[in-house]
Amino acid sequence: MFSKIRHLFKLARAGRTIARHGGFDAALEDDNVPSAAKTALRVLGAGKSSREQRSGLAEALNELGPSYIKLGQFLATRPDMIGSERAGALRQLQDRMKPFDMNEAREAIQAGLGQPAGEIFQPLSDPVAAASIAQVHKAQVIDEAGNRRDVAVKVLRPGVEARFRDDLETFFTAARLAERFSAEARRLNFVKAVATLERSVELEMDLRLEAAAMSEMAENTRDDPGFRVPEIFWMQTSRRILTSEWIDGIALTDDKALAASGLDLPRLGDTVIQSFLRHAMRDGFFHADMHQGNLFIDAQNNLVAVDFGIMGRLSMKDRRFLAEILWGFIKRDYKRIATVHFEAGYVPAGEDVDLFAQALRAIGEPIMGRNSTDISMARLLTQLFEVTGQFNMETQPQLILLQKTMVVVEGVARSFNPKLNMWVTAEPVVAEWMEQKLGAQGRLEDAAEGAATLGRLAASFPEVLSELGQASALVSSMAQSGGIRLDNDTTEAIAAAQARHSASNRGALWVGAIALVVLAVSLAL
């Protein structure tokens, strides 16, 4: 109970900080926000900041610290939860923190690699970048061939795991309360959303997994034109230390260097889009943070991605779904798009497929007849996921992450070519994938996979029959002995335990709610 009160206190303090920056002011003018919620926001201080003080939600999350920055970056992928406008603002949230001390970095390296930093990295620079989870140093190592190589050394922040665990429990507290009182929060799976964030952060804090993601993508893209992944130095990598090739190239954030390079910038925009689509559709594995700060051009004019902490995966079902809906919009076959949603199980079977097709037509028809350079594939997907909420479609986190990444990637590409035709640029990749997976070749692959599945089932059939026989004998024995019975003492004990559990939960909820109001009022005074 006291733990819940502490997390409620943390929520109240965070709410006060967000209110002070004007992060809740827009909610006071939103007719869809319940009056009770508006009252609570006013208690926290919403609407009291002057125009000059309203730096916004992003600045408030920066002030609240690393966990809240990660939360903001995650919410930027969930316009269904916070609205498109707020999600767009949070996409500008920069994960830049003050570096931690070099002595702490050296201690972390020795603890992680079992040798003093000076024996492994000669020399080790001061931090060149620092974020909420880790910071990066430039260094040199001797590779297996005896060559001196420049490397990037990523080191986790000391104590970052404990800090994130505590803050994530605060986020879970907020999500559980929201789902208890809001049907919309239950539809949007607030608790599952926080669990997704928790899993993402856990993966980011094991740098061996980031190294493995880089290795997997390097294998997937080995033969891709114009794209590559930095080399991993496995002997200098552990759970808290990641060592990879240092990229001496032009950062895509450096407009002056790009302009002076003589590169074909429109072609670079095409490479960004086509690389992302290949990764997502062909491999089902994509870099989910492909903004300019994580992209470089090397000496061979290859696009090089760095920072593989956030990755996305799509199942074959998800990839087919994506291809089918894009093709359906191109062909204006709204009934087919609607049917695909139902076939995939994304929209409940009880909804009206024809009414859903009508809603899809409202998205598709306004873009028909317009210049293709004015049509944003990312915006199309954004509108699609907004409409699905009206038909009780449960959130598909993997598709939301795809849509968020596509927004970023399309923005990067258009910065190099404002006249980018997304459909023409994407067509070779999408057409190749559809031919391979939905055409004759794809049907042959499906048939082969089906035959293999039947073969595995046939091989296990005797074992299944044996288990069924054992289960049948057990049921028969139970029936002959009168079945399973609970005596009066057992049932009364179970009922008493349930009553105590329910009372405890109700008490904790009321105490927590009262504490939140008291704390919020005291903070607002």
Side-chain angles (χ1 to χ4, degrees):
M1 182 182 296
F2 291 109
S3 176
K4 289 183 180 180
I5 293 175
R6 186 173 69 84
H7 288 296
L8 287 169
F9 177 84
K10 290 179 65 178
L11 282 174
R13 185 173 58 187
R16 175 63 176 162
T17 299
I18 294 171
R20 179 161 46 81
H21 286 276
F24 292 137
D25 287 1
L28 299 178
E29 302 171 4
D30 189 337
D31 294 336
N32 296 316
V33 176
S35 57
K38 290 182 179 181
T39 299
L41 292 178
R42 289 191 180 94
V43 169
L44 288 172
K48 296 180 181 179
S49 56
S50 67
R51 184 174 298 275
E52 292 74 20
Q53 293 173 313
R54 294 174 191 171
S55 50
L57 182 57
E59 186 61 33
L61 296 179
N62 261 322
E63 182 178 325
L64 287 167
S67 307
Y68 287 86
I69 291 172
K70 281 294 175 190
L71 175 65
Q73 291 176 327
F74 174 75
L75 290 175
T77 73
R78 298 298 304 270
D80 56 324
M81 293 178 69
I82 63 173
S84 298
E85 186 175 343
R86 292 189 189 92
L90 287 178
R91 289 190 192 106
Q92 311 305 315
L93 188 62
Q94 297 297 309
D95 191 358
R96 294 172 181 167
M97 302 291 292
K98 182 180 178 181
F100 55 88
D101 187 75
M102 279 293 294
N103 288 330
E104 290 182 301
R106 293 189 185 94
E107 290 172 4
I109 289 171
Q110 180 162 354
L113 300 179
Q115 289 178 260
E119 294 181 9
I120 305 171
F121 304 113
Q122 301 174 357
L124 180 72
S125 77
D126 289 334
V128 296
S132 55
I133 286 179
Q135 67 186 29
V136 176
H137 304 257
K138 185 177 182 180
Q140 288 187 334
V141 299
I142 305 299
D143 67 14
E144 295 177 356
N147 300 314
R148 185 172 290 274
R149 302 280 302 277
D150 289 335
V151 294
V153 184
K154 188 172 185 177
V155 185
L156 282 189
R157 285 183 173 275
V160 68
E161 295 96 335
R163 169 75 180 270
F164 268 87
R165 275 196 301 270
D166 188 60
D167 284 344
L168 280 165
E169 189 53 45
T170 301
F171 301 158
F172 272 117
T173 299
R176 292 184 191 111
L177 284 172
E179 286 199 6
R180 186 181 290 261
F181 295 111
S182 169
E184 181 67 2
R186 290 191 291 274
R187 184 188 74 78
L188 291 171
N189 288 322
F190 273 32
V191 173
K192 280 187 179 180
V194 177
T196 301
L197 172 62
E198 178 183 43
R199 184 60 176 155
S200 174
V201 169
E202 284 176 352
L203 294 176
E204 278 196 79
M205 288 193 291
D206 188 338
L207 298 183
R208 296 168 301 184
L209 297 178
E210 181 175 346
M214 295 175 71
S215 176
E216 181 177 349
M217 181 161 279
E219 284 186 13
N220 293 342
T221 62
R222 182 178 293 115
D223 299 322
D224 286 4
F227 181 89
R228 75 177 185 91
V229 175
E231 178 185 353
I232 296 293
F233 289 76
W234 287 103
M235 296 302 294
Q236 293 82 26
T237 293
S238 68
R239 188 175 68 84
R240 297 180 62 84
I241 310 295
L242 169 60
T243 305
S244 60
E245 172 190 1
W246 180 267
I247 302 300
D248 264 327
I250 303 173
L252 264 58
T253 53
D254 192 341
D255 295 334
K256 290 183 179 179
L258 286 170
S261 68
L263 287 168
D264 183 345
L265 295 184
R267 179 58 196 154
L268 175 59
D270 290 348
T271 300
V272 171
I273 290 293
Q274 292 177 347
S275 295
F276 167 71
L277 288 175
R278 281 193 192 94
H279 306 160
M281 299 188 70
R282 180 194 64 195
D283 307 325
F285 186 57
F286 60 92
H287 191 305
D289 201 17
M290 279 186 68
H291 57 74
Q292 284 98 326
N294 285 337
L295 297 171
F296 294 81
I297 298 295
D298 68 9
Q300 289 73 43
N301 292 340
N302 291 309
L303 181 69
V304 186
V306 300
D307 194 354
F308 287 72
I310 305 174
M311 304 297 294
R313 288 194 184 273
L314 298 176
S315 67
M316 184 56 69
K317 181 180 83 168
D318 295 328
R319 286 181 266 169
R320 286 184 172 175
F321 170 78
L322 175 63
E324 290 257 25
I325 61 175
L326 291 177
W327 191 251
F329 274 114
I330 292 171
K331 294 295 185 180
R332 301 171 73 176
D333 189 348
Y334 305 113
K335 183 65 174 286
R336 177 58 190 156
I337 305 172
T339 303
V340 166
H341 277 77
F342 282 80
E343 289 176 348
Y346 293 153
V347 175
E351 296 292 334
D352 188 325
V353 65
D354 291 315
L355 189 59
F356 188 43
Q358 180 182 341
L360 295 173
R361 182 180 292 274
I363 298 172
E365 285 304 301
I367 69 175
M368 296 304 159
R370 294 182 62 185
N371 189 317
S372 55
T373 60
D374 297 330
I375 302 173
S376 165
M377 190 181 295
R379 192 174 302 121
L380 180 71
L381 288 177
T382 300
Q383 293 178 359
L384 173 65
F385 294 143
E386 287 174 350
V387 164
T388 55
Q390 301 174 21
F391 293 84
N392 297 311
M393 171 176 166
E394 284 200 4
T395 298
Q396 303 295 321
Q398 73 281 12
L399 297 180
I400 295 293
L401 185 60
L402 172 78
Q403 176 266 334
K404 169 259 182 184
T405 309
M406 189 172 286
V407 169
V408 173
V409 169
E410 190 174 316
V412 172
R414 287 191 187 276
S415 71
F416 300 122
N417 181 13
K419 296 182 179 180
L420 175 75
N421 186 324
M422 271 292 296
W423 305 96
V424 171
T425 302
E427 192 273 336
V429 179
V430 177
E432 180 182 5
W433 189 88
M434 291 187 71
E435 173 58 31
Q436 288 180 349
K437 300 301 180 183
L438 302 182
Q441 180 180 339
R443 288 193 292 272
L444 287 173
E445 290 178 358
D446 286 347
E449 186 177 339
T453 301
L454 287 174
R456 289 192 295 270
L457 287 172
S460 63
F461 195 55
E463 183 180 345
V464 172
L465 286 178
S466 175
E467 290 177 355
L468 285 173
Q470 293 173 12
S472 176
L474 178 60
V475 172
S476 175
S477 173
M478 288 166 54
Q480 292 174 7
S481 64
I484 297 175
R485 295 177 179 171
L486 297 178
D487 59 29
N488 290 336
D489 291 342
T490 303
T491 54
E492 288 175 5
I494 292 173
Q498 287 181 327
R500 288 194 301 272
H501 180 70
S502 298
S504 173
N505 277 351
R506 286 195 300 271
L509 177 63
W510 279 109
V511 169
I514 293 168
L516 178 60
V517 172
V518 171
L519 290 168
V521 170
S522 64
L523 287 167
L525 296 177

